[in-house]
Amino acid sequence: MAQGQRTNRVLVPEARAALDQMKWEIAREVGINLPPGSYLGDVPSRMNGAIGGHMVRRMILEYQRNLAANVLGTTR
């Protein structure tokens, strides 16, 4: 395992609820219909990877939007 992947922890604990909500929202979009908070251990790793990949894409998109808004001097 790579050195940087020893833990999977939220760096900003206050963001945990929002990240969990995003995870379940994206899971529904990808086609995984499980109730929020349910066990994901029986979901194939390929599907879990798709959820994580979509989460990263959405976070990057939001960061780019915020960055562009700050550069242009506007806010959302």
Side-chain angles (χ1 to χ4, degrees):
M1 184 182 300
Q3 284 290 71
Q5 298 178 356
R6 289 183 184 244
T7 62
N8 185 12
R9 59 189 158 97
V10 177
L11 296 177
V12 181
E14 297 82 16
R16 182 175 298 281
L19 288 170
D20 284 342
Q21 181 180 352
M22 183 190 335
K23 175 175 59 179
W24 294 108
E25 188 178 304
I26 290 173
R28 281 191 305 276
E29 291 174 10
V30 173
I32 302 170
N33 295 316
L34 297 172
S38 66
Y39 176 68
L40 287 176
D42 57 351
V43 176
S45 59
R46 182 180 187 111
M47 292 180 119
N48 279 326
I51 294 169
H54 284 285
M55 287 178 72
V56 170
R57 283 186 203 99
R58 189 175 290 178
M59 286 185 266
I60 290 171
L61 179 63
E62 187 62 31
Y63 181 80
Q64 289 174 341
R65 285 180 181 159
N66 287 335
L67 186 62
N70 288 337
V71 168
L72 297 174
T74 61
T75 58
R76 294 167 114 229

